[in-house]
Amino acid sequence: MKKLQYVPLGFFLKTLICILLFLLCLSVFLYGVVWTTVLIICLPRYIWTDIGIVQYKSYIILLIPTLLWGLWWAIYVIKHQNKIVLNKTKAIHLPEENHKEIYQKISLITRAFNIPMPKIYQVDDTGVNSLMISDKEGESALIFSSRLIANNNIKDIINMATFHLSEVKSHSNMYHTYIIALTSCFSLWFELIVSRFFKTKELPFHLEVLRPFLYPIRFVLLPLIAILSIFALYDRLIAPILSFFLSTNNAFKQDKKALMLLQTPSSYIETLYKVQDNPRVSAFENGATFISCFQDPTDHLTFLKLIDTHPNIENRIQKIKKEFKVYFIYEKEEK
């Protein structure tokens, strides 16, 4: 099957707007970091007016290289957005020879929608959720939690896959994938530095005597980690804002498209309930990835959510019941 080669002019315009918004957010973010840093360093030595002058000069000096770096990153992401997200989520490719039924079922869905076959991955987690990414070349990938794959929940996998694939032609997922990759820069640095300095590692026996000296070094690094923690929040805070300006939430529309093809509303609602019970997948919670999940896995982190990226599952279920006239009747077995 041929790839989706046609990309509307609107995609490039939205990408340009996204880059401009990203650079603007980067400038504002840099201003806050510089102000905080100068305040901490200079407060014991300068009066408030001097701090303002030092902060302003530092900001101007850092602004141009920061914007140039941001522009380079934004252009780089256009070409490598899928690869960046796959690395971010640590997704593992699912071999077709071991999961033929999943590939066959998803292949039927792609034929029905007349779209290319996506690559299929899994992430190691016990939650019930999924993520789809795609780029302007028409390459897409479905990422499922390992619990779905290990339990061979074919119905749930198909329901989620149909939901995601129903919007491939609209290119909205392409925008979301670009946003996820674009805003992941700071959290990637954060994870790299934390894994380098703060994860406990085995030392050779003759160096174990040095271990007590490592803790003071780590304590000195705490201010750096505090700043990087703010960096790690950057993609989680900025991604919904960019998403809000670039594309609307289409969950209800995707549900309807998926069910028009599947014609199994009862099974689809069961999948929604399963996801509602445990949508938490750490790889999808990490940063901006939640905007393209089957269901937002960060509902428990409401203090970090500026804009709702997913409608409530109960609302989705009620709309499905109203649209398809289906009702669940739970009967208890009498003993």
Side-chain angles (χ1 to χ4, degrees), residues 147-302:
R147 176 180 173 180
L148 288 166
I149 303 300
N151 294 342
N152 201 32
N153 294 334
I154 299 298
K155 287 184 179 180
D156 296 332
I157 291 171
I158 298 310
N159 288 334
M160 292 184 184
T162 310
F163 170 85
H164 289 304
L165 295 171
S166 66
E167 281 294 284
V168 167
K169 284 188 174 181
S170 75
H171 298 100
S172 63
N173 185 263
M174 187 196 315
Y175 308 136
H176 279 156
T177 305
Y178 182 73
I179 292 168
I180 293 169
L182 182 69
T183 57
S184 67
C185 46
F186 286 122
S187 61
L188 290 174
W189 291 355
F190 172 75
E191 292 164 15
L192 179 64
I193 292 179
V194 168
S195 64
R196 177 68 181 85
F197 288 106
F198 281 83
K199 284 191 176 179
T200 303
K201 296 181 179 179
E202 292 293 331
L203 294 176
F205 179 77
H206 63 284
L207 295 179
E208 277 294 329
V209 68
L210 298 177
R211 183 175 292 277
F213 297 98
L214 294 179
Y215 295 99
I217 295 175
R218 293 178 179 183
F219 181 77
V220 171
L221 289 173
L222 284 179
L224 175 62
I225 294 301
I227 293 175
L228 288 173
S229 298
I230 301 173
F231 284 3
L233 295 176
Y234 182 86
D235 52 350
R236 185 182 296 279
L237 295 174
I238 300 303
I241 297 175
L242 299 183
S243 178
F244 176 77
F245 282 104
L246 291 179
S247 60
T248 57
N249 185 278
N250 293 318
F252 295 129
K253 188 187 296 183
Q254 288 178 251
D255 286 335
K256 185 175 180 179
K257 284 183 180 179
L259 286 169
M260 290 294 288
L261 176 65
L262 296 171
Q263 295 295 316
T264 55
S266 297
S267 172
Y268 195 86
I269 290 176
E270 287 179 1
T271 299
L272 285 170
Y273 277 127
K274 288 180 182 178
V275 177
Q276 186 181 41
D277 289 339
N278 184 18
R280 296 187 64 176
V281 174
S282 58
F284 300 158
E285 288 182 320
N286 183 14
T289 50
F290 64 91
I291 64 177
S292 276
C293 286
F294 181 77
Q295 178 62 23
D296 187 354
T298 64
D299 284 336
H300 59 291
L301 299 175
T302 52

Side-chain angles (χ1 to χ4, degrees), residues 35 42 59 62 82 119 184 197 206 267:
W35 188 88
C42 299
Y59 178 69
L62 293 173
N82 280 14
K119 296 179 180 178
S184 67
F197 288 106
H206 63 284
S267 172

